[in-house]
Structure formats: C-alpha cells, structure tokens
Amino acid sequence: MVIKNRVYFLFVFASILLSNSAMAQDTDEKRPLLDILIQLQEHYDYRFNYAEDTIIGVSLTPPNQKMSFDEVLDYLRAQTGLMFTLLNDNFVSIKKRDGLTICGYLKSKGSQSAIAFATIQSEKSSTITDENGFFQLTVQNQNEAIKIRYLGYKSSSKSIKDFNKNACETIFLEQELQSLSEVVISDYIVSGINKLNNGSYEIDFSDFDILPGLIEADVLQSVQSFPGIQSENETVSNINIRGGTHDQNLILWDDIKMYQSGHFFGLISMYNPQITQKVSLLKNGTDVTYTDGISGTIAMKTDEQINSKFNGSIGANFIDSNGFVDVPIGKKSSLQIAGRKSISEFVETPTYKEFFDRISQNTEVEANASNTVNSDKAFDFYDMSLRWIYKISPKDEVRLNFINVADELVFDEHATVNDIEESRQSKVTQNSIAAGFQYKRTWDDRWQSIFSVYETDYKLKAINENILASQRFLQENKVSETSLKLNTYFRINQRFQLFGGHQFVETQVTNLDDVDNPLFRSLISEVIRTFATYSQLNFAAVNRKTNFSVGARFNYIDKFKKSILEPRLNFNQRFLEYFTFEVLGEFKHQNTSQVINFQNDFLGIEKRRWQLSNDKDIPVIESKQVSAGINYIHYGWLLSAEGYLKKVDGITTQSQGFQNQYEFIKTNGSYEVKGLDVLVRKRLGDFKTWLSYSFMQNLYTFKELPEVEFPSNFDIEHFVTLGLTYNTNHLKIATGLNWHSGKPTTNPIENNQVIGNDINYEPANSSNLQDYLRIDISALYDCNVAKNLKATFGVSVWNVLNNENVINSTYQVFNGNSQKIEQSSLGLTPNFVLRVFF
C-alpha cells in the first residue's frame, strides 16, 4: 500500500513538473485552449466552467507562468475574444460574446498608473475596469461611442471605429481636480440624463435621447423633466424650483451669470443647444463656489475638449434657422461658434402664430383703446455664442466665451385725432451680452488653480406710444455685473480633496421711467459689491460607496456692512448593492430680485424688472434648506424618493406677482415649502417609461398683511408626469402626459363682488384654477445621406388634445361689475426640424 502511494505521488509530481515546464517555455507555438486551461487549473488552483463548443477550435500561445492569475485572464480575454468571468470559490466561467467586443487598459496620463473601477459605458451596456485598469465591453455596432468616467479625471469619449480590434490598446485620462462628483444613476429618466453623487442632476446633450414635445434639445425646457421643477405658465422664463420664483434661480452659461433666460419672452430657451453640451441642475447641497440662486442652480457648459476634426451642423425648424461649427486651430486649440435667427420675417408658421398669440395675451399688443387699432405686429430674435479653448502647454489652458442675444417685438398704433389719422410705433426689446475668460493652471498632479472673470449686461426697453394722449412712455431696466474669482484645488490623497477660493462681484441695476407729456423722468441706479471667501472638503471612498462634501462660504456685502456665513453639505452612501442614501443641506443668499410695479409695464409683455436689495424694505434674501432621499436601482428599475424643507426670508410682495387685493401693497415676508419628489422608471429593451410625482405645501408669511399666513402663488400641491420613449438605431419616439392641480387664485366674493370701485376679494389664494392637463408627442429619425454627412428629421406636437388650460385669471371693474380676465396656455402647437451634420 505504501509503495502504491509513493508511485502515485511520483506520478502526480512528474505531471506537475511537465506541465510547469510546458508553461515556462518561451515559444510562439500555438496550442489548443483546452490544453492551456488544464495546465492553468493545476498551476493556479482555479477551475474553468465552459460549454465544449465554446472553446473548440480556439488556439493561442500559452501565457507566461510568471503572470499573476488576473494578468492571465486579461491575456486570455485579449487573445480569444471570449468572456472570462471570475466567480466565487475559485471558479471562472467562459462564454462566447454577442456583438462586437472591444477592450483596453485605462491609465492616468500623468502618473502612468492603472485606473481601477472606472466606468466604461456604451449606449446599452457598461462595465468597470479591474485592478489593472483592464476592461472588456460588448457593443451592438461600430457606429456607437463609449464614454469613460472616473472620479477626479476628465470624462472622455471614443468611437468604436477608433478601437484596435486585434489588440487591447491603452487609453489615458487627464486628471481633473475641480470635482469629485461622478454618476451614480445613469439614464435617470432617459439616456443622457444622469444623477451624480453630489445630489445634482446632469443632462449630457451629446448622449441625449428625446423628451415628449421636444425635437430640439431645449436646455431650459429639458430641466423641467425633473421632479420638483415646474413652470406654472409653461415658459422657460418662469421656472419654479421647489416653489421658488424664477429670479431665485442662478443661471450660468460657462460660469457666466445670465439675467435673461428665453427667446419669445420665455417660450423657448435662448441658449443654443448645439454649443451647450452639458447642463447641471442643483436643487440643494450646492458647493461653495456658487452664490445667489436660493432656489436652485442651472449651470450650462460648452465642450471642454479640444476637437481635432472639423465638424458642424445646419438646421431649421418652424421657429428659427441655426448653425454650428467646431473648428480645430492646430493641435492645441479649437473654436466653436453657434448662431440662430428667427424665420418670422420670411414666413409665419403655425408654431410662430401660436407663440405670438400666447405672449400677446392680455397685453397692449393684443388690444388697445376702443378707438385705437394695432397693426403690423412683428417679432424677431437672434443669438450668437462663441467658445475658444487654447492649451498653451500640458499644464496651462485658457478659455474665452462670448454670447449675444436679442429679442424685439414691434407694432403700429393707428387712431384718428381731430379728423387726422395718425400712426406711431411701439416696441419692446430684450438684450443680453456677456463675455468670460478663464485661465487654468495645473501645477502638478495634486495642485490646480483657476482664475476666471466675466462681464454680463442685460437690458429690457419699451417704448409705449399713446396717440390719443400724445404721449411717449419710455422704460428701461438694465443690469451690469462684473465678477472675479480665484479657485485653488488640492488633492490630499485618492480619497480627500480640499479646495477654496475668493470671489468679488459688483452688480449695478438701473431703472428708467421717462414720460414726455407731461414731463416726468425717474432714473435710479444702484450698486452692490460683495466679497466672498470659501473652502470645502470633499471625500470619495476608493470603493465609491461613500461620498461627502462639507464646506462654508463667507460673504461680506460692502454697502450694508453685512456678513453672511453659509454652510453647505452633501452626503451620499451606497448600501446593499442596489441602494443609495443622500442628505443635502445649504444656506444661501442673493442681492437681486425681479419685481412688478404695474401689470402694463413694458407693454405688459415682460413686466418684471430687476432690482437690488437695500437691506430695508427690500431685504437681502436668505434661504435655508435640508433634504434627504433614497434610490433603488436594479434590473432596469429605478425608484427614487426625496423629501425636503426650505425656508426663504426677505421676499417682497412685488416679487411674487400678486394680482389680487395685495397687488399694490409693498411689504416683505417669507415662505416655507415642504415637499416630496418621487420618480419610478423602468427600462425594458428599447423602451423606457417613467412616472414622476411631486407633492408640495408652500405657505407665505407676511406679518404686515391682514392675512399673516396663506398659500403661495406657486403652491401647486400635486404634479404628475408620465412618459414613454422608444429608441432604435435610427428612430426615437416619445410621448408624455403632464398633469397638475390648479394654481391658487383669488376670486371675488359671490353676490358682493364690487364695493365702491374695487373688487371685493375672498381670502387670498383660497381658490384654485382648474387642473392642468397636457399630452405631447415627438419623433426623430436620423440617416446617413452621404459619406461623413448625416441628417436628422423630426416632428413634435405640443398639447396634442388642444386642451384649453387656464394658467392665470384676474379681475377688474368694468361698468360697475367685476370682469374676469383669463390667460390660456399654448394650444395644439406643431413643430418640425431638419438638421444636417457634417
């Protein structure tokens, strides 16, 4: 028995020696994969599971025995194109791949070290890199592109066509010290909409799908797809984030603050989607670099990469024609230019007519005095945007931005005075022009500093000609703002980052009211200067499960000798593999607000004007907000819920747009919002469907009004959206439903509606308009029309059912009785787009 055991031992020992000698040989001779797997099992003590037909006919050169087992698996993946998946209990499964397989190694451009746990994502699949930076991904076709993201590095994209199909090439990522945020939920609603671990949301228009009713990627219409974001009058110039007014939103275009948001006085965004690549939405937990925007921040970004190939597009829809070019200037610079111009002077489309009727409702453009006739009504707009990047050296980069926007509405008034027919032209114009400069210096792989400066100017002007009174009324509202900012980022280690900075902002607001008969002129110009210093600590665990940021911003307002300390916090924790939990909080303030003095200011078209705080009857507005949420994502399902509490002090009655008994009362107060935002999304093959619900209670407190506490003008308690998209390689279709409970309103008291010459109102906002309902649909089809030439066709219908939704109602005294005046939403509004990419 002993002899037999010794013989058996010698036999096994000899087999191992023979296999090791075979493994150790340096030869290019290929061997069957089956033989190699047997040797690997004995050498590394791992077992391989496979179907026999998977490995039959596969031969390769054996790997070197000095390799680690992970390196051996990478080698086998690269050489065979098969899937090698490491399972529990030292088992490895081997499967064939469907579709086209790409692979590569991801490394840091600075240190040349491997980047582990980076996200590699295609249109319908994703993976992460292993400890050696290796990844392998199966894609549907070579026309796709993959996106590569990793915390602390610039995101990158690469076309499948550019991959080496015969080998796994190395891809280098550049470090980006400004942010430690990364995507935690991709395709939050549709493709291109993601949620980040700092609590913000990101729309990437380079990977954007389609939303109901939109065939152009309208920047500010798109952000309204998120729960808790509404527009009570369907415009992009009145976006309400968690119950706040539009002027409480910080709107940035490449870090330049903008005081105008829309064309057509708010019906479409003024930011060209062809040059705007990404949009970030922050409802809470804003980092300390941002000031203003007590309700939320909408930050738009152009492409930060230098494109090496010339590309562009031209297009037209029922509203405007537009164009875009990205021109490389050598290997270190690129210039992007985009422009749009309305086509109304050439043709009046159904979309234009619907838009014009909507903005002119209940204004002096629509109707004038009974013996005055308005004619020759016309509207025109244009915008032009520019972004230039120059990489001076591997460590130095400069960026220049410029934007110019203009809107104009004109009409003629005709009347007979003393048997003589007279005509005069009235008009209202809205213009914005801004420029920004940024210099970025990367001192080493741990230090980076960014200096930026911008100048932004806004002007709203109206000339109201009154023929019967022989009067010309000129109104102007101008804003001029200059900002200088210096940020410094320091990476302590792979987990911690510290950054801080200083900012100076000077804001000047000028208001002019000028009447020629009788002579009257009021010109008021005010300036506020704010100095700020701030610091923030960011933490990101190596396993990406825990992330938090904590910081504070100290502001000093020179004019009021006022100091404001603003702490900021966001925390994100992943647990039980499919769950994430987050807590966000912030204190913020702002010195500007929009007010309405009279409903017919600026011809009643854009009646809001910007004003500065005076720290007395117009206080500095301050807010406090906290929120907590939980997300679950698995098997194509996403369930997200977030509750919040927000308190805002320093608002004025003029900034809230009252059109009841408090319309002409000037006082200040506060509002408090409690709410819940819920989203359910399911991805099933080429289909995505989602249901979002927002609940909100929004209450005013005005201590000097007869009613101290009552519902806010923006207290829309229930808001529901339901959407469905279908996406194939060339066709995208989307349809959706929007419903919300009626906006608060104030009606006259029944049977006693008028007292004297005034409306006798019921308690403020004690009634509601009828519920709002709208169904939209849109479709896009793209095709290749020639080599390097692609075309996209699209059609959309807004308000398919042509519902007559009332979005506002007011009352006035007429012949001793109350007269109700209603404002309706857009009716059935079609649109069509044709775009050619080259």
Side-chain angles (χ1 to χ4, degrees):
M1 186 69 178
V2 174
I3 295 175
K4 287 183 178 179
N5 287 339
R6 288 177 178 175
V7 171
Y8 177 77
F9 173 78
L10 289 172
F11 175 79
V12 171
F13 182 73
S15 299
I16 293 174
L17 285 177
L18 288 172
S19 65
N20 282 345
S21 63
M23 288 280 295
Q25 64 182 349
D26 292 324
T27 176
D28 293 333
E29 182 181 349
K30 292 186 178 181
R31 300 181 57 194
L33 177 59
L34 177 60
D35 295 348
I36 295 175
L37 294 179
I38 294 174
Q39 296 168 8
L40 293 175
Q41 287 183 156
E42 296 171 349
H43 185 68
Y44 293 99
D45 196 24
Y46 278 84
R47 295 294 176 264
F48 294 90
N49 288 335
Y50 50 85
E52 187 175 350
D53 61 347
T54 301
I55 64 172
I56 287 179
V58 180
S59 299
L60 68 155
T61 303
N64 193 294
Q65 68 170 350
K66 295 180 181 180
M67 291 182 178
S68 67
F69 190 68
D70 287 337
E71 291 174 334
V72 169
L73 292 183
D74 291 343
Y75 175 81
L76 294 177
R77 292 177 185 127
Q79 296 297 317
T80 66
L82 298 174
M83 290 178 60
F84 287 79
T85 305
L86 186 61
L87 306 176
N88 295 329
D89 301 324
N90 285 20
F91 277 90
V92 178
S93 72
I94 307 175
K95 294 181 180 179
K96 289 183 178 180
R97 294 184 177 274
D98 297 323
L100 181 65
T101 301
I102 58 171
C103 63
Y105 291 89
L106 201 60
K107 292 186 177 182
S108 172
K109 189 173 183 179
S111 64
Q112 303 292 308
S113 59
I115 300 177
F117 308 114
T119 300
I120 315 295
Q121 185 173 17
S122 66
E123 292 183 4
K124 296 185 179 180
S125 60
S126 63
T127 187
I128 61 173
T129 56
D130 63 15
E131 290 83 356
N132 302 309
F134 178 82
F135 68 89
Q136 202 167 19
L137 186 67
T138 301
V139 296
Q140 298 301 312
N141 62 75
Q142 63 177 1
N143 293 322
E144 292 186 33
I146 65 164
K147 288 188 174 295
I148 305 172
R149 298 190 302 267
Y150 185 66
L151 205 59
Y153 287 82
K154 288 184 179 180
S155 296
S156 178
S157 62
K158 186 178 178 70
S159 173
I160 303 301
K161 295 179 181 179
D162 296 334
F163 273 86
N164 186 335
K165 307 303 186 297
N166 300 316
C168 299
E169 58 186 277
T170 301
I171 301 173
F172 295 96
L173 289 187
E174 290 186 31
Q175 286 191 317
E176 183 65 89
L177 302 182
Q178 292 107 291
S179 174
L180 285 180
S181 59
E182 67 168 353
V183 173
V184 292
I185 302 176
S186 59
D187 300 347
Y188 186 76
I189 297 177
V190 297
S191 296
I193 298 181
N194 306 310
K195 186 170 185 178
L196 308 186
N197 60 5
N198 62 2
S200 68
Y201 302 85
E202 179 187 80
I203 302 177
D204 186 348
F205 288 111
S206 65
D207 187 37
F208 193 58
D209 206 338
I210 188 173
L211 288 172
L214 300 178
I215 46 176
E216 295 275 39
D218 189 291
V219 176
L220 298 182
Q221 288 284 3
S222 298
V223 299
Q224 296 178 40
S225 61
F226 296 106
I229 316 296
Q230 298 98 26
S231 175
E232 48 91 18
N233 66 354
E234 297 186 333
T235 67
V236 299
S237 60
N238 199 6
I239 296 175
N240 313 116
I241 300 180
R242 290 181 171 173
T245 52
H246 184 74
D247 59 338
Q248 294 171 2
N249 303 328
L250 173 63
I251 298 179
L252 299 171
W253 184 75
D254 263 350
D255 299 319
I256 303 172
K257 183 177 180 181
M258 304 301 298
Y259 284 87
Q260 180 182 347
S261 54
H263 283 310
F264 244 117
F265 298 98
L267 290 180
I268 60 173
S269 170
M270 75 176 200
Y271 305 100
N272 194 317
Q274 306 307 315
I275 197 173
T276 305
Q277 187 181 43
K278 291 184 179 180
V279 180
S280 295
L281 171 67
L282 301 95
K283 296 187 282 188
N284 191 12
T286 315
D287 75 44
V288 295
T289 60
Y290 294 123
T291 185
D292 294 333
I294 60 170
S295 279
T297 299
I298 302 172
M300 292 162 276
K301 290 283 189 180
T302 58
D303 190 359
E304 297 180 344
Q305 303 298 319
I306 296 175
N307 191 10
S308 60
K309 297 180 180 179
F310 174 85
N311 67 81
S313 68
I314 55 173
N317 54 50
F318 280 174
I319 293 297
D320 62 72
S321 58
N322 50 78
F324 165 78
V325 291
D326 188 349
V327 184
I329 306 173
K331 295 182 179 180
K332 296 183 177 181
S333 178
S334 71
L335 175 68
Q336 292 186 345
I337 301 176
R340 285 188 296 180
K341 175 72 169 63
S342 61
I343 60 173
S344 55
E345 60 185 291
F346 306 107
V347 59
E348 293 189 0
T349 65
T351 310
Y352 169 83
K353 293 177 181 178
E354 192 69 34
F355 278 18
F356 192 93
D357 290 344
R358 166 66 179 80
I359 65 171
S360 61
Q361 284 185 63
N362 306 326
T363 69
E364 294 195 23
V365 180
E366 182 183 48
N368 217 314
S370 58
N371 50 354
T372 302
V373 177
N374 294 345
S375 68
D376 300 322
K377 304 172 186 178
F379 176 80
D380 187 29
F381 74 80
Y382 71 86
D383 63 65
M384 195 276 285
S385 310
L386 178 148
R387 185 238 63 186
W388 174 63
I389 290 180
Y390 176 49
K391 201 167 186 63
I392 303 172
S393 71
K395 294 186 175 183
D396 300 275
E397 181 180 291
V398 296
R399 186 187 72 201
L400 179 66
N401 293 91
F402 175 79
I403 185 170
N404 185 19
V405 181
D407 289 69
E408 181 182 60
L409 188 152
V410 299
F411 65 96
D412 292 334
E413 299 183 24
H414 307 275
T416 302
V417 180
N418 298 325
D419 297 326
I420 300 175
E421 185 173 324
E422 293 188 17
S423 296
R424 292 189 181 185
Q425 187 182 79
S426 295
K427 68 177 180 179
V428 57
T429 59
Q430 193 175 29
N431 304 83
S432 289
I433 185 169
F437 173 81
Q438 182 187 91
Y439 170 66
K440 182 192 300 184
R441 168 71 178 180
T442 303
W443 302 93
D444 54 37
D445 59 359
R446 301 178 69 186
W447 282 98
Q448 187 180 76
S449 57
I450 300 176
F451 172 74
S452 58
V453 58
Y454 72 74
E455 171 69 26
T456 183
D457 294 285
Y458 166 80
K459 183 177 181 181
L460 176 64
K461 178 180 179 181
I463 299 176
N464 189 352
E465 296 285 357
N466 188 330
I467 298 177
L468 299 180
S470 299
Q471 183 186 81
R472 187 267 300 143
F473 184 20
L474 169 65
Q475 292 183 296
E476 288 185 357
N477 174 227
K478 295 192 292 187
V479 181
S480 180
E481 182 171 288
T482 304
S483 170
L484 291 89
K485 181 188 290 187
L486 176 64
N487 289 337
T488 301
Y489 301 83
F490 175 65
R491 187 185 301 281
I492 301 172
N493 52 40
Q494 191 176 357
R495 294 178 296 277
F496 286 96
Q497 180 201 58
L498 180 68
F499 77 84
H502 304 275
Q503 185 176 14
F504 165 75
V505 181
E506 180 185 84
T507 308
Q508 180 180 29
V509 176
T510 303
N511 281 291
L512 170 67
D513 292 284
D514 186 285
V515 181
D516 65 349
N517 184 26
L519 289 174
F520 171 81
R521 181 178 175 86
S522 172
L523 178 64
I524 301 174
S525 185
E526 298 174 300
V527 177
I528 284 183
R529 298 179 181 89
T530 304
F531 302 85
T533 184
Y534 44 86
S535 183
Q536 181 170 303
L537 177 69
N538 297 331
F539 170 82
V542 177
N543 62 8
R544 305 188 302 175
K545 290 186 176 181
T546 304
N547 300 270
F548 73 80
S549 297
V550 59
R553 183 183 179 99
F554 176 77
N555 306 275
Y556 179 73
I557 306 174
D558 180 58
K559 186 174 184 178
F560 312 136
K561 311 299 180 186
K562 187 182 184 75
S563 300
I564 301 175
L565 181 64
E566 299 172 341
R568 312 280 175 86
L569 167 72
N570 68 66
F571 170 81
N572 183 283
Q573 177 68 49
R574 182 181 298 172
F575 65 98
L576 297 179
E577 191 172 358
Y578 307 117
F579 290 87
T580 58
F581 173 73
E582 64 182 19
V583 176
L584 307 170
E586 67 178 21
F587 285 28
K588 295 185 80 176
H589 86 285
Q590 66 181 60
N591 301 319
T592 56
S593 60
Q594 283 185 305
V595 300
I596 299 175
N597 291 332
F598 299 98
Q599 292 296 322
N600 61 351
D601 279 349
F602 300 97
L603 302 177
I605 297 292
E606 175 54 274
K607 46 203 170 190
R608 297 170 298 179
R609 64 173 75 199
W610 289 97
Q611 71 170 15
L612 286 174
S613 301
N614 58 20
D615 207 32
K616 295 176 182 177
D617 58 321
I618 308 174
V620 175
I621 307 174
E622 298 185 55
S623 70
K624 302 174 183 178
Q625 184 178 184
V626 64
S627 62
I630 190 167
N631 305 288
Y632 168 81
I633 182 167
H634 189 49
Y635 284 130
W637 283 99
L638 167 64
L639 286 79
S640 176
E642 184 178 18
Y644 60 89
L645 172 65
K646 182 171 70 172
K647 179 70 181 291
V648 177
D649 291 304
I651 64 171
T652 64
T653 49
Q654 288 177 289
S655 68
Q656 299 302 298
F658 286 107
Q659 290 182 272
N660 52 22
Q661 59 266 50
Y662 302 135
E663 181 175 352
F664 301 109
I665 296 179
K666 296 182 179 181
T667 186
N668 59 73
S670 64
Y671 71 85
E672 183 177 281
V673 186
K674 302 173 183 177
L676 175 69
D677 297 332
V678 178
L679 175 73
V680 179
R681 186 264 288 153
K682 173 61 176 175
R683 183 171 56 219
L684 187 62
D686 295 327
F687 291 89
K688 292 188 184 76
T689 184
W690 70 92
L691 172 68
S692 70
Y693 169 72
S694 293
F695 169 77
M696 178 175 62
Q697 286 186 341
N698 191 349
L699 294 177
Y700 284 137
T701 299
F702 287 99
K703 295 181 179 180
E704 296 182 4
L705 294 181
E707 303 166 80
V708 175
E709 188 175 281
F710 56 95
S712 163
N713 295 339
F714 309 98
D715 182 31
I716 299 177
E717 287 195 5
H718 307 283
F719 199 102
V720 175
T721 61
L722 176 65
L724 173 69
T725 64
Y726 172 74
N727 186 359
T728 63
N729 290 334
H730 297 286
L731 178 65
K732 299 177 182 179
I733 301 174
T735 184
L737 176 147
N738 288 265
W739 174 90
H740 65 73
S741 53
K743 174 188 171 184
T745 189
T746 310
N747 295 323
I749 296 176
E750 288 190 31
N751 304 319
N752 190 21
Q753 296 188 356
V754 178
I755 296 180
N757 199 36
D758 296 317
I759 299 292
N760 183 26
Y761 285 104
E762 64 185 9
N765 291 340
S766 57
S767 298
N768 293 85
L769 299 176
Q770 291 183 347
D771 292 353
Y772 176 99
L773 176 65
R774 190 186 82 240
I775 295 177
D776 308 318
I777 190 169
S778 54
L780 285 171
Y781 179 79
D782 64 74
C783 61
N784 295 318
V785 295
K787 186 177 180 180
N788 298 324
L789 200 63
K790 177 183 173 183
T792 296
F793 307 85
V795 62
S796 68
V797 180
W798 182 279
N799 195 2
V800 174
L801 301 181
N802 198 26
N803 276 2
E804 294 185 8
N805 295 301
V806 177
I807 56 178
N808 194 38
S809 68
T810 59
Y811 292 86
Q812 66 180 15
V813 177
F814 183 75
N815 292 333
N817 298 311
S818 67
Q819 182 184 44
K820 188 176 185 179
I821 302 173
E822 293 184 335
Q823 185 179 29
S824 299
S825 65
L826 282 170
L828 188 149
T829 308
N831 202 357
F832 173 82
V833 66
L834 168 62
R835 183 170 306 284
V836 177
F837 298 87
F838 51 87

